[in-house]
Amino acid sequence: MSVPSATMWPMGEHVERVDEHDEVLAVVSRSDAIRNGWLHRIATVVCRDTAGRTLVHRRPHGVSRFPGQYNWMLGGAVDVGESYEEAAARELTEELGVRARPEFVFKFRCEGAISPYWLGLHETVLAGPVRPDPLEIAWHDWLTDPGLAALVRDEAFVPDAREAFERYLMQGGR
């Protein structure tokens, strides 16, 4: 199915509404997808440094989704006509100010704390400094695997990110 480019939509963020098999049904506003519980796509990236530690961050308190909560993934909605991989790379640049080619690990249908969606999880290793966007990231640090496992259990951890972490471990992730 051919879908119009995101630039053809004058206002708001648009996403591809997808079905239970992650096949495109229509282009809709992201707010409509969330409000109506329509499946759409989210791309995420897990970042590690060369020592094997995982980047974790806390969302700013003033954001609409998961304010003040911790996460081990960066990411956001996949734009219309964009692949999961392209969206993951774009989100990495927007949120951390770095360019990389995150590798696809797996995807799953997430019920979501806000609405359901398909989550594509990617990984990358970052060797240089990061420049977090303060509108997206209020705090960040690099945690060892035991430190990350402890933080995931904290009530201030994004529930969807906790589910992704558990699935990641079941898939054989670190």
Side-chain angles (χ1 to χ4, degrees):
M1 170 181 188
S2 175
V3 289
S5 110
T7 58
M8 294 180 65
W9 305 100
M11 299 178 72
E13 182 179 18
H14 284 80
V15 295
E16 293 170 340
R17 179 181 175 190
V18 296
D19 65 15
E20 294 292 326
H21 305 287
D22 197 16
E23 298 293 328
V24 176
L25 298 172
V27 172
V28 299
S29 73
R30 185 169 184 201
S31 60
D32 282 346
I34 291 169
R35 182 174 38 259
N36 294 303
W38 294 334
L39 289 171
H40 54 289
R41 296 172 174 153
I42 301 292
T44 64
V45 184
V46 173
C47 300
R48 291 206 171 68
D49 66 8
T50 55
R53 298 175 302 174
T54 303
L55 181 80
V56 296
H57 68 281
R58 184 176 49 79
R59 305 265 300 147
H61 286 286
V63 296
S64 63
R65 295 180 186 101
F66 308 112
Q69 291 190 308
Y70 296 98
N71 201 334
W72 72 303
M73 304 179 297
L74 301 166
V78 176
D79 285 344
V80 175
E82 191 175 42
S83 70
Y84 283 101
E85 291 79 8
E86 291 166 337
R90 175 182 48 77
E91 290 288 344
L92 188 59
T93 301
E94 290 174 4
E95 295 187 21
L96 280 188
V98 297
R99 294 195 184 280
R101 288 182 157 261
E103 292 188 26
F104 181 81
V105 179
F106 66 92
K107 73 177 177 178
F108 70 97
R109 187 185 183 282
C110 182
E111 282 307 312
I114 296 173
S115 75
Y117 56 90
W118 281 95
L119 185 145
L121 189 139
H122 302 74
E123 290 179 310
T124 194
V125 174
L126 302 176
V130 297
R131 295 174 305 284
D133 178 348
L135 298 176
E136 298 280 347
I137 298 172
W139 167 91
H140 74 283
D141 199 1
W142 298 93
L143 296 184
T144 61
D145 289 346
L148 174 59
L151 183 60
V152 167
R153 292 187 296 272
D154 189 290
E155 67 180 33
F157 202 80
V158 173
D160 300 6
R162 184 177 299 113
E163 180 182 356
F165 182 76
E166 291 165 1
R167 287 177 180 264
Y168 179 77
L169 293 178
M170 288 188 309
Q171 295 272 340
R174 303 171 38 169

